[in-house]
Amino acid sequence: MTPKASQDIDDHFAYIHQNNVDAALRFFDAVRETLATLAKMSAVGRLYAFNNQRLDGLRQWQVKGFENYLIFYLTSESDIKIIRILHGARDVKKILENE
């Protein structure tokens, strides 16, 4: 997981926590569960069409139960690399241009 992806989780948790502590805890658990699923079945996410060669093969998958939060990741034969976890209302393409 990239440092930015880890920071994304912390930022989303803090934002949700401001209004609903229980929802924030559910979000954190949902992210962990979704990441565990991706680790087992990394090809499950759909390819994300993007013109950034560094992110060739980028995939996208929703956080279970928090479908507006999207996990962007790359896979290889031996591992999975979480690039970012972003809210779908943000300008995802612009954010990912800088990765």
Side-chain angles (χ1 to χ4, degrees), residues 19 23-24 27 42 60 72-73 82:
N19 295 313
F27 171 77
S42 61
Q60 169 188 320
F72 294 91
Y73 65 99
I82 307 302

Side-chain angles (χ1 to χ4, degrees), residues 3 17 19 26 41 45 56-57 59 62 69 73 76 80 95:
H17 188 271
N19 295 313
R26 285 193 314 275
M41 302 181 307
D56 190 40
R59 292 183 174 273
Q62 299 171 326
Y69 291 89
Y73 65 99
S76 69
I80 180 172
I95 293 167

